[in-house]
């Protein structure tokens, strides 16, 4: 029941069905699933685990060089939770990938505030929202990071009563916040599927 708020099945779970899409029977209550199809469906999660490994390697290489990136990749590859969940048809790996992608793109956006990284971060934040309900906590976390990063400049502008600089920061924050929130808006079913209303 995708209309339930607390349903554990997230939209991203449908990615696992891509591998066996042509073989599923929607009229069959079990959708004609067998052990072979379930094993092949797990390949999508394995692929996402490899993408996450590549992201960790690239991010660590930018921060710490080759040795640091190899250590990070090795730590990821032998982590018990990754070994356990990288082969299951669950949303846990998708959540880990989307969370890491949000943090990486946000880090790049913070270093170079431009449309490219702002859009990438907003889209990855939207992807995170369809991967796991707990991803909603990224909004206050990212907001707090921005506030902490800009606190000194805001405090200085307030202390010096230099209102234009403070106003520019607030307007810039509001503009980017609207882009980030706009990328995650979910339309009700009666708007996205008018025939259901």
């Amino acid at each position: 029941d995708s209309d339930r708020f607390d349903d554990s099945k997230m939209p991203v779970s449908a990615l696992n069905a891509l591998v066996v899409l042509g073989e599923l029977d929607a009229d069959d209550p079990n959708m004609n699933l067998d052990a072979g199809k379930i094993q092949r469906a797990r390949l999508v999660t394995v692929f996402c685990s490899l993408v996450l490994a590549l992201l960790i390697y690239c991010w660590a290489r930018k921060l710490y060089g080759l040795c640091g990136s190899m250590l990070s990749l090795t730590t990821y590859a032998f982590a018990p939770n990754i070994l356990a969940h990288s082969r299951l048809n669950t949303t846990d790996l998708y959540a880990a990938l989307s969370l890491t992608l949000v943090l990486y793109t946000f880090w790049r956006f913070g270093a170079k505030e431009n449309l490219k990284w702002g859009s990438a971060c907003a889209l990855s934040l939207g992807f995170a929202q369809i991967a796991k309900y707990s991803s909603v906590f990224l909004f206050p976390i990212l907001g707090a990071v921005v506030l902490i990063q800009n606190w000194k400049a805001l405090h200085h502008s307030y202390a010096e009563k230099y209102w234009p600089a403070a106003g520019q920061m607030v307007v810039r924050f509001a503009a980017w916040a609207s882009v980030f929130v706009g990328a995650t808006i979910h339309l009700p079913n009666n708007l996205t599927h008018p025939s259901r209303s």
Side-chain angles (χ1 to χ4, degrees):
D1 181 5
S2 61
D3 291 329
R4 281 180 49 191
F5 171 75
D6 60 344
D7 191 357
S8 64
K9 292 169 182 62
M10 298 298 289
V12 76
S13 299
L15 291 175
N16 291 98
L18 288 177
V19 179
V20 292
L21 193 59
E23 303 170 42
L24 298 178
D25 183 6
D27 295 328
D28 181 1
N30 296 322
M31 297 191 76
N32 194 26
L33 282 174
D34 59 29
K37 290 185 185 110
I38 292 172
Q39 287 296 91
R40 281 185 284 138
R42 292 176 176 172
L43 292 175
V44 181
T45 310
V46 172
F47 176 74
C48 284
S49 178
L50 293 173
V51 171
L52 179 54
L54 180 63
L55 178 60
I56 288 169
Y57 173 81
C58 292
W59 193 0
R61 180 139 189 180
K62 285 185 182 300
L63 288 172
Y64 309 114
L66 182 60
C67 290
S69 63
M70 293 305 293
L71 178 62
S72 299
L73 184 60
T74 304
T75 303
Y76 170 81
F78 291 103
N81 280 327
I82 299 303
L83 291 172
H85 291 280
S86 292
R87 58 186 188 85
L88 300 177
N89 291 327
T90 63
T91 59
D92 297 317
L93 219 300
Y94 297 125
L97 174 60
S98 62
L99 175 68
T100 307
L101 190 59
V102 168
L103 295 176
Y104 173 73
T105 55
F106 188 72
W107 173 70
R108 293 298 300 263
F109 175 64
K112 193 171 188 179
E113 188 178 316
N114 59 23
L115 187 60
K116 173 186 168 184
W117 288 111
S119 300
C121 187
L123 290 174
S124 58
L125 186 59
F127 178 72
Q129 302 310 305
I130 63 169
K132 205 82 167 170
Y133 283 119
S134 54
S135 296
V136 75
F137 291 112
L138 285 168
F139 288 103
I141 290 169
L142 296 181
V145 169
V146 169
L147 185 62
I148 291 167
Q149 286 177 335
N150 293 292
W151 179 254
K152 190 173 182 181
L154 277 170
H155 185 267
H156 178 72
S157 297
Y158 178 76
E160 298 293 322
K161 299 196 182 333
Y162 187 59
W163 306 120
Q168 286 175 351
M169 278 190 263
V170 170
V171 167
R172 197 173 76 235
F173 174 79
W176 280 113
S178 66
V179 170
F180 280 41
V181 172
T184 61
I185 289 178
H186 170 73
L187 296 175
N189 279 344
N190 59 353
L191 292 177
T192 55
H193 301 287
S195 59
R196 294 184 186 175
S197 56

PDB file of all heavy atoms in Angstrom, residues 67-99:
ATOM      1  N   CYS A  67      46.659   6.836  -0.899  1.00  0.00           N
ATOM      2  CA  CYS A  67      46.706   5.937   0.272  1.00  0.00           C
ATOM      3  C   CYS A  67      45.424   6.037   1.090  1.00  0.00           C
ATOM      4  O   CYS A  67      44.866   5.013   1.509  1.00  0.00           O
ATOM      5  CB  CYS A  67      47.921   6.254   1.144  1.00  0.00           C
ATOM      6  SG  CYS A  67      49.476   5.796   0.376  1.00  0.00           S
ATOM      7  N   GLY A  68      44.963   7.252   1.299  1.00  0.00           N
ATOM      8  CA  GLY A  68      43.724   7.450   2.056  1.00  0.00           C
ATOM      9  C   GLY A  68      42.515   6.856   1.342  1.00  0.00           C
ATOM     10  O   GLY A  68      41.622   6.287   1.980  1.00  0.00           O
ATOM     11  N   SER A  69      42.493   6.974   0.019  1.00  0.00           N
ATOM     12  CA  SER A  69      41.358   6.435  -0.728  1.00  0.00           C
ATOM     13  C   SER A  69      41.357   4.911  -0.702  1.00  0.00           C
ATOM     14  O   SER A  69      40.299   4.285  -0.605  1.00  0.00           O
ATOM     15  CB  SER A  69      41.370   6.946  -2.163  1.00  0.00           C
ATOM     16  OG  SER A  69      42.517   6.497  -2.853  1.00  0.00           O
ATOM     17  N   MET A  70      42.527   4.294  -0.768  1.00  0.00           N
ATOM     18  CA  MET A  70      42.608   2.825  -0.709  1.00  0.00           C
ATOM     19  C   MET A  70      42.204   2.316   0.677  1.00  0.00           C
ATOM     20  O   MET A  70      41.532   1.289   0.800  1.00  0.00           O
ATOM     21  CB  MET A  70      44.011   2.342  -1.080  1.00  0.00           C
ATOM     22  CG  MET A  70      44.377   2.594  -2.533  1.00  0.00           C
ATOM     23  SD  MET A  70      43.188   1.911  -3.717  1.00  0.00           S
ATOM     24  CE  MET A  70      43.416   0.170  -3.466  1.00  0.00           C
ATOM     25  N   LEU A  71      42.607   3.037   1.717  1.00  0.00           N
ATOM     26  CA  LEU A  71      42.214   2.655   3.079  1.00  0.00           C
ATOM     27  C   LEU A  71      40.702   2.773   3.250  1.00  0.00           C
ATOM     28  O   LEU A  71      40.055   1.883   3.813  1.00  0.00           O
ATOM     29  CB  LEU A  71      42.948   3.529   4.101  1.00  0.00           C
ATOM     30  CG  LEU A  71      42.603   3.268   5.568  1.00  0.00           C
ATOM     31  CD1 LEU A  71      42.979   1.836   5.955  1.00  0.00           C
ATOM     32  CD2 LEU A  71      43.307   4.268   6.464  1.00  0.00           C
ATOM     33  N   SER A  72      40.115   3.863   2.733  1.00  0.00           N
ATOM     34  CA  SER A  72      38.663   4.060   2.820  1.00  0.00           C
ATOM     35  C   SER A  72      37.922   2.972   2.056  1.00  0.00           C
ATOM     36  O   SER A  72      36.915   2.428   2.542  1.00  0.00           O
ATOM     37  CB  SER A  72      38.275   5.431   2.266  1.00  0.00           C
ATOM     38  OG  SER A  72      38.882   6.455   2.999  1.00  0.00           O
ATOM     39  N   LEU A  73      38.391   2.654   0.867  1.00  0.00           N
ATOM     40  CA  LEU A  73      37.756   1.624   0.050  1.00  0.00           C
ATOM     41  C   LEU A  73      37.854   0.254   0.717  1.00  0.00           C
ATOM     42  O   LEU A  73      36.885  -0.514   0.732  1.00  0.00           O
ATOM     43  CB  LEU A  73      38.403   1.590  -1.334  1.00  0.00           C
ATOM     44  CG  LEU A  73      37.797   0.626  -2.343  1.00  0.00           C
ATOM     45  CD1 LEU A  73      36.332   0.950  -2.592  1.00  0.00           C
ATOM     46  CD2 LEU A  73      38.572   0.674  -3.647  1.00  0.00           C
ATOM     47  N   THR A  74      39.006  -0.058   1.287  1.00  0.00           N
ATOM     48  CA  THR A  74      39.181  -1.338   1.985  1.00  0.00           C
ATOM     49  C   THR A  74      38.266  -1.425   3.197  1.00  0.00           C
ATOM     50  O   THR A  74      37.639  -2.461   3.446  1.00  0.00           O
ATOM     51  CB  THR A  74      40.653  -1.523   2.411  1.00  0.00           C
ATOM     52  OG1 THR A  74      41.480  -1.411   1.254  1.00  0.00           O
ATOM     53  CG2 THR A  74      40.877  -2.853   3.085  1.00  0.00           C
ATOM     54  N   THR A  75      38.175  -0.339   3.955  1.00  0.00           N
ATOM     55  CA  THR A  75      37.286  -0.308   5.120  1.00  0.00           C
ATOM     56  C   THR A  75      35.843  -0.542   4.696  1.00  0.00           C
ATOM     57  O   THR A  75      35.107  -1.304   5.329  1.00  0.00           O
ATOM     58  CB  THR A  75      37.418   1.040   5.858  1.00  0.00           C
ATOM     59  OG1 THR A  75      38.782   1.237   6.226  1.00  0.00           O
ATOM     60  CG2 THR A  75      36.552   1.077   7.093  1.00  0.00           C
ATOM     61  N   TYR A  76      35.429   0.090   3.601  1.00  0.00           N
ATOM     62  CA  TYR A  76      34.071  -0.092   3.091  1.00  0.00           C
ATOM     63  C   TYR A  76      33.851  -1.530   2.633  1.00  0.00           C
ATOM     64  O   TYR A  76      32.845  -2.159   2.962  1.00  0.00           O
ATOM     65  CB  TYR A  76      33.812   0.873   1.929  1.00  0.00           C
ATOM     66  CG  TYR A  76      32.528   0.595   1.194  1.00  0.00           C
ATOM     67  CD1 TYR A  76      31.313   1.040   1.698  1.00  0.00           C
ATOM     68  CD2 TYR A  76      32.518  -0.131   0.004  1.00  0.00           C
ATOM     69  CE1 TYR A  76      30.119   0.775   1.034  1.00  0.00           C
ATOM     70  CE2 TYR A  76      31.342  -0.396  -0.663  1.00  0.00           C
ATOM     71  CZ  TYR A  76      30.142   0.051  -0.143  1.00  0.00           C
ATOM     72  OH  TYR A  76      28.972  -0.228  -0.797  1.00  0.00           O
ATOM     73  N   ALA A  77      34.780  -2.054   1.868  1.00  0.00           N
ATOM     74  CA  ALA A  77      34.609  -3.386   1.265  1.00  0.00           C
ATOM     75  C   ALA A  77      34.511  -4.501   2.304  1.00  0.00           C
ATOM     76  O   ALA A  77      33.848  -5.508   2.061  1.00  0.00           O
ATOM     77  CB  ALA A  77      35.764  -3.671   0.309  1.00  0.00           C
ATOM     78  N   PHE A  78      35.147  -4.314   3.461  1.00  0.00           N
ATOM     79  CA  PHE A  78      35.132  -5.370   4.470  1.00  0.00           C
ATOM     80  C   PHE A  78      34.252  -5.035   5.678  1.00  0.00           C
ATOM     81  O   PHE A  78      34.291  -5.759   6.669  1.00  0.00           O
ATOM     82  CB  PHE A  78      36.561  -5.696   4.921  1.00  0.00           C
ATOM     83  CG  PHE A  78      37.355  -6.366   3.837  1.00  0.00           C
ATOM     84  CD1 PHE A  78      38.291  -5.640   3.108  1.00  0.00           C
ATOM     85  CD2 PHE A  78      37.148  -7.697   3.527  1.00  0.00           C
ATOM     86  CE1 PHE A  78      39.020  -6.248   2.094  1.00  0.00           C
ATOM     87  CE2 PHE A  78      37.864  -8.307   2.507  1.00  0.00           C
ATOM     88  CZ  PHE A  78      38.805  -7.580   1.791  1.00  0.00           C
ATOM     89  N   ALA A  79      33.458  -3.979   5.576  1.00  0.00           N
ATOM     90  CA  ALA A  79      32.541  -3.641   6.668  1.00  0.00           C
ATOM     91  C   ALA A  79      31.443  -4.706   6.749  1.00  0.00           C
ATOM     92  O   ALA A  79      30.820  -5.033   5.736  1.00  0.00           O
ATOM     93  CB  ALA A  79      31.935  -2.268   6.441  1.00  0.00           C
ATOM     94  N   PRO A  80      31.175  -5.251   7.914  1.00  0.00           N
ATOM     95  CA  PRO A  80      30.176  -6.322   8.039  1.00  0.00           C
ATOM     96  C   PRO A  80      28.781  -5.931   7.544  1.00  0.00           C
ATOM     97  O   PRO A  80      28.107  -6.735   6.903  1.00  0.00           O
ATOM     98  CB  PRO A  80      30.164  -6.623   9.544  1.00  0.00           C
ATOM     99  CG  PRO A  80      31.493  -6.177  10.029  1.00  0.00           C
ATOM    100  CD  PRO A  80      31.867  -5.007   9.175  1.00  0.00           C
ATOM    101  N   ASN A  81      28.352  -4.710   7.826  1.00  0.00           N
ATOM    102  CA  ASN A  81      27.017  -4.281   7.371  1.00  0.00           C
ATOM    103  C   ASN A  81      26.942  -4.200   5.854  1.00  0.00           C
ATOM    104  O   ASN A  81      25.913  -4.536   5.256  1.00  0.00           O
ATOM    105  CB  ASN A  81      26.645  -2.929   7.976  1.00  0.00           C
ATOM    106  CG  ASN A  81      26.147  -3.059   9.387  1.00  0.00           C
ATOM    107  OD1 ASN A  81      25.513  -4.047   9.736  1.00  0.00           O
ATOM    108  ND2 ASN A  81      26.445  -2.070  10.214  1.00  0.00           N
ATOM    109  N   ILE A  82      28.005  -3.757   5.221  1.00  0.00           N
ATOM    110  CA  ILE A  82      28.028  -3.681   3.757  1.00  0.00           C
ATOM    111  C   ILE A  82      28.029  -5.083   3.166  1.00  0.00           C
ATOM    112  O   ILE A  82      27.293  -5.377   2.215  1.00  0.00           O
ATOM    113  CB  ILE A  82      29.244  -2.874   3.269  1.00  0.00           C
ATOM    114  CG1 ILE A  82      29.187  -1.439   3.802  1.00  0.00           C
ATOM    115  CG2 ILE A  82      29.337  -2.887   1.756  1.00  0.00           C
ATOM    116  CD1 ILE A  82      27.930  -0.678   3.432  1.00  0.00           C
ATOM    117  N   LEU A  83      28.824  -5.977   3.729  1.00  0.00           N
ATOM    118  CA  LEU A  83      28.849  -7.363   3.256  1.00  0.00           C
ATOM    119  C   LEU A  83      27.473  -8.019   3.406  1.00  0.00           C
ATOM    120  O   LEU A  83      27.055  -8.798   2.554  1.00  0.00           O
ATOM    121  CB  LEU A  83      29.912  -8.166   4.020  1.00  0.00           C
ATOM    122  CG  LEU A  83      31.364  -7.804   3.721  1.00  0.00           C
ATOM    123  CD1 LEU A  83      32.305  -8.527   4.679  1.00  0.00           C
ATOM    124  CD2 LEU A  83      31.718  -8.127   2.296  1.00  0.00           C
ATOM    125  N   ALA A  84      26.773  -7.692   4.465  1.00  0.00           N
ATOM    126  CA  ALA A  84      25.461  -8.303   4.707  1.00  0.00           C
ATOM    127  C   ALA A  84      24.378  -7.722   3.809  1.00  0.00           C
ATOM    128  O   ALA A  84      23.553  -8.455   3.262  1.00  0.00           O
ATOM    129  CB  ALA A  84      25.076  -8.122   6.173  1.00  0.00           C
ATOM    130  N   HIS A  85      24.355  -6.404   3.643  1.00  0.00           N
ATOM    131  CA  HIS A  85      23.233  -5.752   2.955  1.00  0.00           C
ATOM    132  C   HIS A  85      23.447  -5.532   1.461  1.00  0.00           C
ATOM    133  O   HIS A  85      22.501  -5.215   0.751  1.00  0.00           O
ATOM    134  CB  HIS A  85      22.917  -4.415   3.631  1.00  0.00           C
ATOM    135  CG  HIS A  85      22.336  -4.582   4.988  1.00  0.00           C
ATOM    136  ND1 HIS A  85      21.008  -4.877   5.202  1.00  0.00           N
ATOM    137  CD2 HIS A  85      22.906  -4.533   6.219  1.00  0.00           C
ATOM    138  CE1 HIS A  85      20.781  -4.985   6.502  1.00  0.00           C
ATOM    139  NE2 HIS A  85      21.923  -4.785   7.136  1.00  0.00           N
ATOM    140  N   SER A  86      24.662  -5.711   0.970  1.00  0.00           N
ATOM    141  CA  SER A  86      24.918  -5.485  -0.454  1.00  0.00           C
ATOM    142  C   SER A  86      24.319  -6.554  -1.346  1.00  0.00           C
ATOM    143  O   SER A  86      24.320  -6.425  -2.560  1.00  0.00           O
ATOM    144  CB  SER A  86      26.422  -5.417  -0.722  1.00  0.00           C
ATOM    145  OG  SER A  86      26.952  -4.260  -0.147  1.00  0.00           O
ATOM    146  N   ARG A  87      23.812  -7.613  -0.767  1.00  0.00           N
ATOM    147  CA  ARG A  87      23.253  -8.693  -1.576  1.00  0.00           C
ATOM    148  C   ARG A  87      21.766  -8.923  -1.295  1.00  0.00           C
ATOM    149  O   ARG A  87      21.198  -9.921  -1.711  1.00  0.00           O
ATOM    150  CB  ARG A  87      24.029  -9.987  -1.318  1.00  0.00           C
ATOM    151  CG  ARG A  87      24.014 -10.399   0.134  1.00  0.00           C
ATOM    152  CD  ARG A  87      24.903 -11.603   0.403  1.00  0.00           C
ATOM    153  NE  ARG A  87      24.715 -12.087   1.761  1.00  0.00           N
ATOM    154  CZ  ARG A  87      23.766 -12.925   2.107  1.00  0.00           C
ATOM    155  NH1 ARG A  87      22.902 -13.373   1.228  1.00  0.00           N
ATOM    156  NH2 ARG A  87      23.659 -13.325   3.359  1.00  0.00           N
ATOM    157  N   LEU A  88      21.128  -7.982  -0.602  1.00  0.00           N
ATOM    158  CA  LEU A  88      19.714  -8.140  -0.247  1.00  0.00           C
ATOM    159  C   LEU A  88      18.829  -7.171  -1.026  1.00  0.00           C
ATOM    160  O   LEU A  88      19.270  -6.101  -1.422  1.00  0.00           O
ATOM    161  CB  LEU A  88      19.517  -7.908   1.255  1.00  0.00           C
ATOM    162  CG  LEU A  88      20.278  -8.831   2.201  1.00  0.00           C
ATOM    163  CD1 LEU A  88      20.034  -8.425   3.643  1.00  0.00           C
ATOM    164  CD2 LEU A  88      19.894 -10.289   1.976  1.00  0.00           C
ATOM    165  N   ASN A  89      17.572  -7.566  -1.201  1.00  0.00           N
ATOM    166  CA  ASN A  89      16.595  -6.695  -1.870  1.00  0.00           C
ATOM    167  C   ASN A  89      15.936  -5.777  -0.838  1.00  0.00           C
ATOM    168  O   ASN A  89      14.738  -5.851  -0.595  1.00  0.00           O
ATOM    169  CB  ASN A  89      15.511  -7.536  -2.570  1.00  0.00           C
ATOM    170  CG  ASN A  89      16.065  -8.275  -3.753  1.00  0.00           C
ATOM    171  OD1 ASN A  89      16.965  -7.787  -4.416  1.00  0.00           O
ATOM    172  ND2 ASN A  89      15.542  -9.445  -4.019  1.00  0.00           N
ATOM    173  N   THR A  90      16.718  -4.933  -0.217  1.00  0.00           N
ATOM    174  CA  THR A  90      16.198  -3.988   0.775  1.00  0.00           C
ATOM    175  C   THR A  90      16.595  -2.577   0.361  1.00  0.00           C
ATOM    176  O   THR A  90      17.332  -2.381  -0.601  1.00  0.00           O
ATOM    177  CB  THR A  90      16.773  -4.284   2.181  1.00  0.00           C
ATOM    178  OG1 THR A  90      18.196  -4.100   2.148  1.00  0.00           O
ATOM    179  CG2 THR A  90      16.447  -5.701   2.617  1.00  0.00           C
ATOM    180  N   THR A  91      16.127  -1.602   1.120  1.00  0.00           N
ATOM    181  CA  THR A  91      16.435  -0.203   0.795  1.00  0.00           C
ATOM    182  C   THR A  91      17.685   0.305   1.514  1.00  0.00           C
ATOM    183  O   THR A  91      18.079   1.444   1.303  1.00  0.00           O
ATOM    184  CB  THR A  91      15.253   0.699   1.184  1.00  0.00           C
ATOM    185  OG1 THR A  91      15.002   0.571   2.587  1.00  0.00           O
ATOM    186  CG2 THR A  91      14.004   0.341   0.406  1.00  0.00           C
ATOM    187  N   ASP A  92      18.312  -0.517   2.330  1.00  0.00           N
ATOM    188  CA  ASP A  92      19.429  -0.047   3.144  1.00  0.00           C
ATOM    189  C   ASP A  92      20.620   0.429   2.312  1.00  0.00           C
ATOM    190  O   ASP A  92      21.212   1.464   2.600  1.00  0.00           O
ATOM    191  CB  ASP A  92      19.871  -1.143   4.118  1.00  0.00           C
ATOM    192  CG  ASP A  92      18.777  -1.492   5.109  1.00  0.00           C
ATOM    193  OD1 ASP A  92      18.139  -0.554   5.620  1.00  0.00           O
ATOM    194  OD2 ASP A  92      18.550  -2.680   5.352  1.00  0.00           O
ATOM    195  N   LEU A  93      20.961  -0.330   1.269  1.00  0.00           N
ATOM    196  CA  LEU A  93      22.093   0.073   0.432  1.00  0.00           C
ATOM    197  C   LEU A  93      21.765   1.327  -0.356  1.00  0.00           C
ATOM    198  O   LEU A  93      22.605   2.209  -0.526  1.00  0.00           O
ATOM    199  CB  LEU A  93      22.477  -1.081  -0.503  1.00  0.00           C
ATOM    200  CG  LEU A  93      23.968  -1.292  -0.722  1.00  0.00           C
ATOM    201  CD1 LEU A  93      24.707  -0.142  -1.324  1.00  0.00           C
ATOM    202  CD2 LEU A  93      24.642  -1.773   0.526  1.00  0.00           C
ATOM    203  N   TYR A  94      20.522   1.422  -0.842  1.00  0.00           N
ATOM    204  CA  TYR A  94      20.099   2.623  -1.564  1.00  0.00           C
ATOM    205  C   TYR A  94      20.169   3.840  -0.645  1.00  0.00           C
ATOM    206  O   TYR A  94      20.562   4.922  -1.071  1.00  0.00           O
ATOM    207  CB  TYR A  94      18.675   2.468  -2.091  1.00  0.00           C
ATOM    208  CG  TYR A  94      18.506   1.355  -3.091  1.00  0.00           C
ATOM    209  CD1 TYR A  94      17.569   0.358  -2.890  1.00  0.00           C
ATOM    210  CD2 TYR A  94      19.288   1.305  -4.240  1.00  0.00           C
ATOM    211  CE1 TYR A  94      17.405  -0.668  -3.807  1.00  0.00           C
ATOM    212  CE2 TYR A  94      19.136   0.284  -5.157  1.00  0.00           C
ATOM    213  CZ  TYR A  94      18.191  -0.703  -4.940  1.00  0.00           C
ATOM    214  OH  TYR A  94      18.035  -1.704  -5.848  1.00  0.00           O
ATOM    215  N   ALA A  95      19.767   3.652   0.616  1.00  0.00           N
ATOM    216  CA  ALA A  95      19.835   4.759   1.571  1.00  0.00           C
ATOM    217  C   ALA A  95      21.273   5.175   1.825  1.00  0.00           C
ATOM    218  O   ALA A  95      21.585   6.368   1.873  1.00  0.00           O
ATOM    219  CB  ALA A  95      19.155   4.353   2.883  1.00  0.00           C
ATOM    220  N   ALA A  96      22.172   4.195   1.967  1.00  0.00           N
ATOM    221  CA  ALA A  96      23.590   4.514   2.191  1.00  0.00           C
ATOM    222  C   ALA A  96      24.167   5.248   0.989  1.00  0.00           C
ATOM    223  O   ALA A  96      24.905   6.228   1.144  1.00  0.00           O
ATOM    224  CB  ALA A  96      24.370   3.232   2.471  1.00  0.00           C
ATOM    225  N   LEU A  97      23.834   4.781  -0.217  1.00  0.00           N
ATOM    226  CA  LEU A  97      24.330   5.434  -1.431  1.00  0.00           C
ATOM    227  C   LEU A  97      23.791   6.854  -1.546  1.00  0.00           C
ATOM    228  O   LEU A  97      24.545   7.798  -1.805  1.00  0.00           O
ATOM    229  CB  LEU A  97      23.937   4.614  -2.666  1.00  0.00           C
ATOM    230  CG  LEU A  97      24.254   5.253  -4.025  1.00  0.00           C
ATOM    231  CD1 LEU A  97      25.737   5.522  -4.184  1.00  0.00           C
ATOM    232  CD2 LEU A  97      23.738   4.364  -5.156  1.00  0.00           C
ATOM    233  N   SER A  98      22.488   7.023  -1.347  1.00  0.00           N
ATOM    234  CA  SER A  98      21.902   8.360  -1.510  1.00  0.00           C
ATOM    235  C   SER A  98      22.413   9.324  -0.443  1.00  0.00           C
ATOM    236  O   SER A  98      22.691  10.481  -0.738  1.00  0.00           O
ATOM    237  CB  SER A  98      20.375   8.284  -1.503  1.00  0.00           C
ATOM    238  OG  SER A  98      19.895   7.786  -0.273  1.00  0.00           O
ATOM    239  N   LEU A  99      22.561   8.854   0.784  1.00  0.00           N
ATOM    240  CA  LEU A  99      23.077   9.712   1.857  1.00  0.00           C
ATOM    241  C   LEU A  99      24.506  10.149   1.550  1.00  0.00           C
ATOM    242  O   LEU A  99      24.844  11.337   1.675  1.00  0.00           O
ATOM    243  CB  LEU A  99      23.023   8.969   3.191  1.00  0.00           C
ATOM    244  CG  LEU A  99      23.636   9.687   4.383  1.00  0.00           C
ATOM    245  CD1 LEU A  99      22.805  10.906   4.747  1.00  0.00           C
ATOM    246  CD2 LEU A  99      23.757   8.760   5.566  1.00  0.00           C
TER     247      LEU A  99
END
